[in-house]
Amino acid sequence: MLVTADVHGPVRVIDADTLDVGGVRVRLHAIDAPEMDQTCVTEHGAAFACGRWVTDQVRARFEGRMATCARVDMDRHGRTVAKCHVEGVDIGEEVVSAGWAFAYRRYGMDYDLDEKAAYVADRGLHGFRLQSPAQFRQTRAKGRIPPDPGCRIKGNISKNGQIFHVPGQDFYERTGINEARGERWFCSEAQAVQAGWRPARR
């Protein structure tokens, strides 16, 4: 049930499911979009920065527009969770319909049919292979499970330099990848070597 406290103001897009509206940080209700640093894989197997791409699409559509948001809840990060409209257009509905985000059914079925229609039409993210944003967040927090099952090689940085570990090696399971430190996941040994990493000895 909607709480009767509205937020009004111009939109500043943080990412595809998070906005600042009139200075208030708003998480759009019942949708989930890729994180800014999340990548997808094209049908040809190429990595694609889909998190940044969907953010750019939402920014082009809604940045600077005047929005009214009806608060639904507060999340654990202290953000207002809300349904927002611009000139009668439900932002969440449009974002999911365009394939820039997914229906977050855990929190509501509001956009279930919109996502299904986007999937059938192969719109936006539905043309790529990717983890669900929730799985990506969980993986990133742990740093030990590859975000893409096809790119399982761990490019670790230690006092011994840039070393990559492949599944089955002694230190593979215990090695965590921290992308903020410049560590990386690789899809092949050749890719790792080309990027400047050397293979682990065991």
Side-chain angles (χ1 to χ4, degrees):
M1 184 169 63
L2 294 179
V3 177
T4 59
D6 287 352
V7 176
H8 306 271
V11 170
R12 186 168 75 90
V13 175
I14 305 303
D15 59 32
D17 56 26
T18 308
L19 316 171
D20 279 350
V21 178
V24 176
R25 183 61 51 90
V26 174
R27 176 67 161 81
L28 292 172
H29 172 65
I31 77 168
D32 202 16
E35 298 298 306
M36 277 285 283
D37 59 346
Q38 188 168 349
T39 58
C40 303
V41 178
T42 70
E43 61 180 1
H44 302 296
F48 173 64
C50 58
R52 185 167 298 281
W53 178 74
V54 293
T55 298
D56 288 344
Q57 304 310 304
V58 176
R59 185 169 287 134
R61 176 69 178 85
F62 293 108
E63 184 83 10
R65 306 286 297 278
M66 295 300 294
T68 299
C69 303
R71 186 180 300 165
V72 178
D73 201 355
M74 295 289 287
D75 71 8
R76 62 191 178 90
H77 302 293
R79 298 175 299 187
T80 294
V81 179
K83 296 188 76 168
C84 297
H85 290 78
V86 169
E87 295 181 358
V89 173
D90 181 333
I91 296 177
E93 180 180 342
E94 179 147 333
V95 169
V96 173
S97 294
W100 301 332
F102 303 101
Y104 210 173
R105 296 174 180 85
R106 174 181 173 185
Y107 295 103
M109 298 296 288
D110 307 53
Y111 307 114
D112 175 64
L113 294 178
D114 300 296
E115 183 191 305
K116 288 174 179 173
Y119 173 79
V120 169
D122 209 28
R123 288 196 291 266
L125 294 168
H126 300 287
F128 305 107
R129 180 163 53 90
L130 73 157
Q131 276 188 313
S132 75
Q135 288 175 328
F136 176 80
R137 288 190 293 271
Q138 185 178 20
T139 297
R140 185 175 59 182
K142 293 181 178 179
R144 288 177 168 79
I145 305 169
D148 180 347
C151 300
R152 303 178 63 200
I153 296 173
K154 295 178 177 180
N156 179 239
I157 299 175
S158 71
K159 63 181 180 180
N160 297 316
Q162 299 182 157
I163 300 170
F164 68 84
H165 302 264
V166 300
Q169 288 189 304
D170 289 352
F171 296 101
Y172 181 82
E173 293 298 334
R174 72 181 72 173
T175 298
I177 295 304
N178 182 347
E179 293 179 309
R181 292 183 59 238
E183 296 177 332
R184 295 176 54 184
W185 294 95
F186 294 104
C187 304
S188 69
E189 293 186 47
Q191 183 187 38
V193 170
Q194 185 176 15
W197 267 255
R198 66 173 176 82
R201 293 189 176 91
R202 58 191 181 93

